[in-house]
Amino acid sequence: MYQWRKFEFFEEKSAGRGGGGGSAAAVPAEIAGRVTCCSGGRGRVAVGCDDGTVGLLDRGFRLSYGFQAYASSVLFLQQLKQRNVLVTVGDDDQSSSQASAICLKVFDLDKVQEEGSSTTTPFCVQILRIFTDQFPQAKITSFMVLEEAPPILMIAIGLDNGFIYCIKGDIARERITRFKLQVEAASDGSTSLPITGLGFRVEGQAHQLFSVTPGSVTLFSLHIQPPRRQTLDQIGCQTNAVAMSDRMDLIIGRPEAVYFYEVDGRGPCWAFDGEKKFVGWFRGYLLCIIEDQRTHKSTLNVYDLKNRLIAHSMPVGDVSHLVCEWGYIILIMSDKKILCIGEKDMESKLDMLFKKNLYTVAINLVQSQQADPASTAEVLRKYGDHLYGKQEYDEAMSQYIHTIGHLEPSYVIQKFLDAKRIYNLTNYLEKLHDRGLASKDHTTLLLNCYTKLKDVEKLNHFIKDEDGVGEIKFDVETAIRVCRAAGYHEHAMFVAKKAGRHELYLKILLEDLGRYDEALQYISGLEANQAGLTVKEYGKILVEHRPAETVEILLRLCTDVGDPTSRRGSNSMHLLMIPSPMDFVNIFVHSPQYLMGFLENYIKTVTDSPAQTEIHNTLLELYISNDLSFPSISQENEYENHYIKEIKGKETANVYRSGIKEKTGLGKEDPKVAKNIVDRRRKGLALLKSAWTSEMEDPLYDVDLALILCNTNAFKDGLLFLYEKLKLYKEVISCYKQAHDHQGLIACCKKLGDSSQGGDPSLWGDLLKYFGDLGEDCSKEVKEVLTYIEKEDVVPPIVVLQTLSKNPCLTLSVVKDYIARKLEQESKLIEDDRKSIDKYQAETELMKREIQDLKTNAKVFQLSKCSACTFTLDLPAVHFLCMHSFHLRCLGDNEKECPECAPEYRSVMEAKQKLEQNARDHDLFFRQLRGSKDGFSVIADYFSKGIVSKTTLPPENGR
């Protein structure tokens, strides 16, 4: 042990009184007796004297107060840590010789009794006699108190006969239990040795007691009943050479060494020569006051056992007591002087070591004393700088590595940027990544180091030999970028795959390596959402090189073929979670034919897609366009809706006609292209019809967009279908007119002009006007049209003649038969009307004469019988102008109305009221007018019934 370095990490502290620290401290003069025991705790030092007094000293070793605890002397005392309680053992000199004078007292220092003006005495909560009949009296050699859960105390009292008296319980309430322990007798059969030291050890619920005699070390397990005894060693020590470490190990000092004991026996042994007068433990340091056998002088040594150094060594006088309080080591001398020793601060100790270049000692010191990491890193940095200055680069780097996390990495990196030190720099950067503290620049630098060194093995270890648990310890994008730039594509792919950066993995496969099949296989193994994102980003490249396989993957993504049961259901939320085909349209920008196939297969599988309108729009554009190119109109967010409204009549026909010319010319130039157009348009017409059946209220595509496509590309069949579905019959007729398709015109009018089927009869008039303005011979068609017009009577004959007269190529023979039949019909109708007029005039004249007769001539009633009861009339009787007569009694209460004629009269009045009501119902009038083939007849009927001829003037000013 003589080789241990000695340092002055401690220094003597002056405990000045009132600020004067020049003179040495001493026990206050107010304490007159000899100090027999002392104890630290709760910011004060308690001292007991042989005159029975106890004094409490403050931080400046001034007497706070003292009191008379015993009549004779204080033998032992101990201040508790958890409560402000003082436990003492002393001699109360009793006049009676029957009882022992040794007793235990418990003082509550928080409760003070005033005794006069100069004396303060704490409250004594309990006094216990230590010796009783069951516990015979002996000399007390040691004393120890253990605080369990308050207010429970465990008190151990060691005697000179080898016994230990234990008192456990609530001392204040005297709820205690007593028991005694005995150490093993000496092997030579001599009398038992005195107990020289005690120490409690607590581990959870296990309570153990160390007991030391000059010849043995014993452990008692108090948590076992009865307590179990275990002899740990057959050597011991003298009084005051016993202490407990902060790890609750027993320490004993013997002349040859200092021994540590654990529960299972002897532990470490430190061979410090000399008689150990006192042994103590202070903040991880071992305290020993050793007496030189030759000079009989004592020395205080403070040992740092972890770092194997002597932290302080100084000669001391005759020490009577050793106690630790306020962070100081306090020595009370026999002459009552006090020596106070304190530890220097860490900065002072490190400065001392740095001046001596003892960096390893400094490092061990800060680590052993659990200094903060920043302080430790600063010591390591200084040591590293010291080694770097000595050009010991490897050793310097090993120190810098320990500073990772506290020292800025750039401080170290800039020292090792020289190419000769690239190995050290690589090592530092590797450790930086292992700690997860590397930035993107650090990753770039490390990978560049590997590539410059061409150290593939380390590169593999850095990238590939990760355990796969937790996050990658470097920046993924940086690693991939550097590896790609250096040509290490496999390493870059490994990093991307492990980090789940699918887009970077595919970028390397496609852009650097051109392994398209492998890329497709990788995408197939991804989850649906990840696969969708990667296809969106790299789909153009895949479609360009592997179009069929890419379409197959897209169909699996968008149709969810892996789970067919979910597709057959109508779970709208599930459909929304599946990618939409419209999300991938842009990747087919250079391959519209594969886009067409993709969408065709999709709509065959999925019939309830949320994006079905957009899908049908795109397909229509692909089908109808003259040149198969990427859809542009259907991909626009907005377009002019009013455009459709302007494309009417001649404008529409002109567009259509010009498109026909383009189509014809294209077909002559390239038959294959023309055939492709025909096939696509056949599919387009089928899609138009299947996506807007008669059962559907709205189509599955945008009608305005479809009309634009058909007009722009002169797709006649599509236009005719859409116009017919939209009930734009005149636009349908216009298409046939411009194409000079006379038979188609007539067939169209037969289909769309039938009012019984919801058609528009006015189409026949437009058709007739077309033939009248045609300027060429169309006699056959006109005769066919006239036949239908005559049958349905949709156009008046005069209009027919006026319209057809405009065509100079038509002769009278075309309309001769039609006019003859019409004139015959009209003549017959005129004759019928004349007969009706004559009849109504005769009836009207007869009615006028009857009215005049009633007004001017007397009416003779000749009935002799009652019209109701058929009995002979007698007075009183009632005669009506309708020539009916009744008994008054037969009429009852109704004397003003003929019972026989009243029903007929009421029916006439109801009809009149109904006609007047109809005159106010204008909607009914116009409905009848629109629904009639001859509107004039409806108006004439209203006039004939007098409905519209009456004019009711409002009264003027009440007149």
Side-chain angles (χ1 to χ4, degrees):
M1 293 300 174
Y2 59 88
Q3 295 180 353
W4 283 22
R5 294 178 179 271
K6 290 186 178 181
F7 299 95
E8 295 300 321
F9 290 163
F10 286 76
E11 60 184 354
E12 184 177 351
K13 301 290 183 180
S14 60
R17 306 185 184 187
S23 60
V27 176
E30 294 88 342
I31 300 177
R34 181 178 60 86
V35 178
T36 57
C37 54
C38 67
S39 173
R42 300 185 68 87
R44 287 183 294 194
V45 173
V47 295
C49 302
D50 58 359
D51 59 359
T53 60
V54 173
L56 296 174
L57 308 182
D58 62 10
R59 193 183 184 91
F61 299 108
R62 294 182 292 267
L63 180 65
S64 296
Y65 63 89
F67 61 94
Q68 189 73 36
Y70 293 90
S72 178
S73 64
V74 182
L75 302 178
F76 299 93
L77 57 80
Q78 181 174 336
Q79 291 190 83
L80 303 185
K81 301 293 185 182
Q82 300 181 27
R83 294 180 292 161
N84 194 15
V85 172
L86 179 67
V87 182
T88 62
V89 175
D91 186 3
D92 259 340
D93 190 15
Q94 299 285 339
S95 57
S96 174
S97 60
Q98 300 296 326
S100 173
I102 306 299
C103 62
L104 182 143
K105 293 183 180 182
V106 180
F107 294 95
D108 188 347
L109 302 181
D110 290 330
K111 298 178 182 180
V112 179
Q113 297 176 350
E114 299 291 340
E115 295 184 359
S117 59
S118 60
T119 305
T120 302
T121 303
F123 179 70
C124 182
V125 298
Q126 189 58 262
I127 300 175
L128 291 178
R129 298 297 178 183
I130 296 177
F131 302 114
T132 63
D133 294 340
Q134 290 81 14
F135 298 87
Q137 183 172 354
K139 182 181 178 181
I140 300 176
T141 57
S142 60
F143 174 75
M144 183 65 64
V145 179
L146 171 66
E147 295 181 84
E148 296 187 14
I152 305 300
L153 299 179
M154 170 68 79
I155 300 174
I157 302 172
L159 307 176
D160 63 349
N161 57 6
F163 280 91
I164 303 172
Y165 290 170
C166 296
I167 304 173
K168 180 179 180 181
D170 186 354
I171 306 298
R173 300 183 181 181
E174 206 170 351
R175 296 177 180 175
I176 59 175
T177 58
R178 295 172 181 257
F179 58 92
K180 57 186 175 181
L181 307 171
Q182 184 179 12
V183 299
E184 188 176 358
S187 58
D188 57 1
S190 61
T191 58
S192 297
L193 298 177
I195 304 298
T196 56
L198 296 169
F200 282 106
R201 179 186 180 96
V202 179
E203 288 183 347
Q205 299 297 323
H207 293 67
Q208 296 167 314
L209 176 64
F210 287 103
S211 173
V212 181
T213 68
S216 67
V217 177
T218 306
L219 177 67
F220 293 95
S221 298
L222 304 180
H223 57 284
I224 300 175
Q225 296 299 327
R228 185 181 63 188
R229 183 180 64 188
Q230 178 184 359
T231 302
L232 301 180
D233 207 344
Q234 295 296 332
I235 59 173
C237 66
Q238 299 299 321
T239 306
N240 295 327
V242 179
M244 295 293 293
S245 72
D246 50 11
R247 296 180 56 190
M248 291 184 290
D249 293 337
L250 178 69
I251 307 171
I252 66 171
R254 291 178 56 83
E256 72 279 5
V258 174
Y259 299 90
F260 283 71
Y261 289 89
E262 299 176 358
V263 293
D264 53 354
R266 183 191 295 179
C269 172
W270 305 92
F272 302 138
D273 291 334
E275 181 69 25
K276 312 302 184 297
K277 305 295 290 184
F278 285 91
V279 173
W281 189 264
F282 174 74
R283 293 183 175 180
Y285 293 101
L286 174 64
L287 309 178
C288 291
I289 297 178
I290 302 175
E291 183 181 9
D292 192 332
Q293 298 298 325
R294 294 173 298 174
T295 62
H296 298 286
K297 292 183 178 180
S298 297
T299 303
L300 170 63
N301 287 338
V302 181
Y303 297 100
D304 185 347
L305 301 180
K306 290 183 179 180
N307 299 313
R308 297 178 178 272
L309 57 86
I310 300 176
H312 186 68
S313 180
M314 64 177 295
V316 293
D318 186 9
V319 179
S320 63
H321 296 89
L322 169 65
V323 66
C324 299
E325 186 62 31
W326 308 303
Y328 297 149
I329 303 170
I330 301 171
L331 303 179
I332 300 178
M333 306 300 177
S334 299
D335 56 1
K336 290 189 178 183
K337 289 185 178 180
I338 297 176
L339 181 61
C340 186
I341 301 171
E343 186 177 9
K344 295 180 180 179
D345 59 82
M346 180 63 72
E347 185 177 356
S348 300
K349 291 188 285 186
L350 293 177
D351 289 341
M352 184 188 309
L353 295 173
F354 291 154
K355 291 176 181 179
K356 300 179 180 181
N357 291 331
L358 298 176
Y359 292 99
T360 55
V361 178
I363 293 170
N364 294 332
L365 181 64
V366 295
Q367 291 177 348
S368 64
Q369 296 196 359
Q370 298 179 349
D372 61 280
S375 301
T376 304
E378 180 63 18
V379 176
L380 293 169
R381 182 194 66 79
K382 289 184 177 181
Y383 188 29
D385 293 344
H386 174 71
L387 294 173
Y388 185 87
K390 294 171 61 177
Q391 297 185 353
E392 297 178 6
Y393 301 118
D394 293 340
E395 292 78 2
M397 179 54 72
S398 65
Q399 301 304 319
Y400 288 135
I401 287 173
H402 291 302
T403 66
I404 292 176
H406 304 282
L407 180 63
E408 178 61 36
S410 59
Y411 178 85
V412 180
I413 292 173
Q414 66 181 358
K415 290 178 176 290
F416 292 87
L417 286 177
D418 194 308
K420 297 179 181 179
R421 304 166 195 161
I422 190 171
Y423 292 99
N424 298 118
L425 179 59
T426 302
N427 186 24
Y428 180 79
L429 293 171
E430 287 174 348
K431 300 300 182 182
L432 203 62
H433 282 81
D434 290 341
R435 304 280 182 85
L437 300 174
S439 66
K440 296 180 181 180
D441 296 332
H442 299 149
T443 302
T444 303
L445 187 58
L446 177 59
L447 292 175
N448 284 330
C449 290
Y450 286 150
T451 54
K452 287 183 180 179
L453 293 172
K454 298 188 182 301
D455 194 341
V456 180
E457 182 179 355
K458 279 196 172 184
L459 184 62
N460 290 336
H461 177 76
F462 178 73
I463 290 180
K464 296 185 176 181
D465 289 351
E466 296 285 340
D467 55 8
V469 179
E471 297 182 357
I472 297 179
K473 298 178 180 179
F474 51 82
D475 184 74
V476 174
E477 293 185 3
T478 302
I480 293 174
R481 174 174 52 80
V482 175
C483 289
R484 288 182 67 192
Y488 292 94
H489 297 108
E490 294 296 332
H491 295 79
M493 288 168 57
F494 179 86
V495 175
K497 187 174 183 179
K498 184 174 182 180
R501 301 297 297 272
H502 310 299
E503 70 283 359
L504 296 177
Y505 185 88
L506 290 171
K507 188 173 186 179
I508 300 168
L509 277 178
L510 297 173
E511 296 181 1
D512 297 340
L513 303 178
R515 287 147 57 172
Y516 307 107
D517 295 329
E518 185 177 344
L520 288 169
Q521 184 178 2
Y522 182 79
I523 293 174
S524 301
L526 297 177
E527 295 181 358
N529 58 341
Q530 291 291 340
L533 293 174
T534 53
V535 172
K536 286 179 186 178
E537 187 168 357
Y538 300 105
K540 291 181 182 178
I541 300 177
L542 293 172
V543 170
E544 182 180 357
H545 295 88
R546 298 292 187 273
E549 294 83 352
T550 306
V551 169
E552 182 180 353
I553 289 179
L554 287 176
L555 283 173
R556 287 203 302 269
L557 284 175
C558 297
T559 58
D560 197 15
V561 295
D563 187 9
T565 57
S566 62
R567 169 59 63 186
R568 294 191 184 98
S570 59
N571 190 338
S572 58
M573 288 300 297
H574 179 73
L575 293 178
L576 291 174
M577 294 172 62
I578 299 175
S580 171
M582 301 308 297
D583 298 338
F584 307 101
V585 169
N586 291 333
I587 69 174
F588 294 95
V589 64
H590 301 303
S591 304
Q593 67 276 14
Y594 288 102
L595 173 61
M596 185 168 62
F598 167 51
L599 295 179
E600 286 174 348
N601 290 323
Y602 179 81
I603 62 175
K604 290 178 183 177
T605 307
V606 182
T607 59
D608 53 354
S609 171
Q612 57 185 356
T613 300
E614 293 81 359
I615 296 171
H616 284 84
N617 291 342
T618 306
L619 269 177
L620 284 175
E621 186 168 355
L622 291 169
Y623 286 152
I624 297 174
S625 298
N626 290 327
D627 297 327
L628 182 59
S629 58
F630 182 73
S632 58
I633 300 178
S634 60
Q635 300 304 306
E636 296 292 334
N637 292 330
E638 296 180 357
Y639 55 87
E640 299 296 335
N641 291 328
H642 64 81
Y643 177 74
I644 294 297
K645 299 178 181 179
E646 297 178 355
I647 304 179
K648 304 291 182 180
K650 293 183 179 180
E651 183 180 350
T652 303
N654 289 335
V655 174
Y656 167 74
R657 187 163 50 190
S658 63
I660 290 293
K661 293 180 180 179
E662 293 175 2
K663 175 181 176 183
T664 304
L666 183 62
K668 291 180 180 179
E669 293 176 2
D670 193 344
K672 291 183 178 180
V673 174
K675 182 178 182 302
N676 178 265
I677 293 175
V678 172
D679 292 340
R680 285 191 286 110
R681 292 193 171 181
R682 185 179 64 253
K683 293 181 180 180
L685 182 60
L687 181 62
L688 286 172
K689 293 180 178 180
S690 63
W692 196 1
T693 62
S694 57
E695 293 82 8
M696 296 180 182
E697 183 178 355
D698 295 315
L700 298 179
Y701 49 81
D702 190 321
V703 177
D704 292 343
L705 175 64
L707 282 172
I708 290 177
L709 292 172
C710 292
N711 274 296
T712 304
N713 297 280
F715 183 32
K716 172 186 173 184
D717 295 337
L719 272 176
L720 294 176
F721 173 76
L722 292 172
Y723 285 152
E724 183 176 342
K725 293 293 288 186
L726 293 171
K727 299 188 182 301
L728 300 174
Y729 301 139
K730 294 187 182 297
E731 279 69 18
V732 176
I733 295 298
S734 297
C735 291
Y736 285 107
K737 288 178 181 179
Q738 298 300 328
H740 292 279
D741 186 358
H742 296 168
Q743 293 302 320
L745 266 173
I746 296 172
C748 179
C749 285
K750 288 180 180 180
K751 179 181 178 182
L752 303 180
D754 189 354
S755 60
S756 62
Q757 301 296 327
D760 184 6
S762 64
L763 295 178
W764 291 104
D766 295 340
L767 179 58
L768 200 64
K769 184 176 183 300
Y770 165 74
F771 285 130
D773 297 336
L774 187 58
E776 62 184 47
D777 187 11
C778 52
S779 302
K780 180 180 178 181
E781 290 82 358
V782 171
K783 287 181 179 180
E784 186 175 357
V785 171
L786 289 177
T787 301
Y788 188 84
I789 290 176
E790 181 182 2
K791 178 181 177 182
E792 298 295 330
D793 195 17
V794 294
V795 181
I798 187 63
V799 176
V800 172
L801 291 175
Q802 290 175 350
T803 302
L804 294 179
S805 64
K806 298 178 181 179
N807 190 342
C809 298
L810 294 176
T811 62
L812 184 61
S813 60
V814 176
V815 297
K816 177 181 177 180
D817 295 338
Y818 167 76
I819 294 300
R821 289 191 297 271
K822 277 294 180 180
L823 288 175
E824 184 180 355
Q825 291 176 2
E826 292 295 331
S827 299
K828 188 181 294 185
L829 290 173
I830 291 172
E831 183 63 28
D832 292 340
D833 289 341
R834 284 178 178 175
K835 290 180 180 180
S836 298
I837 290 170
D838 294 340
K839 177 184 175 183
Y840 292 144
Q841 285 179 346
E843 291 177 353
T844 302
E845 187 63 28
L846 179 60
M847 289 180 183
K848 288 181 178 180
R849 287 198 298 269
E850 288 180 357
I851 293 172
Q852 183 64 29
D853 185 49
L854 288 173
K855 289 180 177 180
T856 59
N857 299 325
K859 196 71 173 178
V860 178
F861 298 98
Q862 297 179 347
L863 286 179
S864 60
K865 292 184 179 181
C866 176
S867 298
C869 62
T870 68
F871 288 106
T872 302
L873 280 175
D874 55 3
L875 297 178
V878 179
H879 303 279
F880 293 96
L881 293 177
C882 59
M883 303 310 293
H884 291 120
S885 300
F886 300 90
H887 294 111
L888 182 60
R889 63 179 178 271
C890 292
L891 289 176
D893 296 334
N894 191 6
E895 301 178 357
K896 298 180 180 181
E897 188 177 51
C898 175
E900 296 292 334
C901 301
E904 183 180 356
Y905 174 74
R906 290 195 188 98
S907 62
V908 173
M909 294 303 297
E910 287 176 358
K912 181 180 179 182
Q913 292 175 359
K914 186 175 181 180
L915 290 174
E916 292 177 352
Q917 184 178 0
N918 290 340
R920 295 189 294 270
D921 190 355
H922 306 297
D923 293 338
L924 176 62
F925 170 74
F926 288 108
R927 281 199 302 271
Q928 292 179 356
L929 189 63
R930 286 192 297 268
S932 174
K933 297 180 180 179
D934 187 4
F936 182 77
S937 62
V938 175
I939 297 174
D941 183 59
Y942 266 71
F943 271 102
S944 67
K945 295 177 180 178
I947 297 176
V948 297
S949 60
K950 291 185 177 181
T951 303
T952 304
L953 295 176
E956 296 182 4
N957 300 326
R959 291 188 295 175

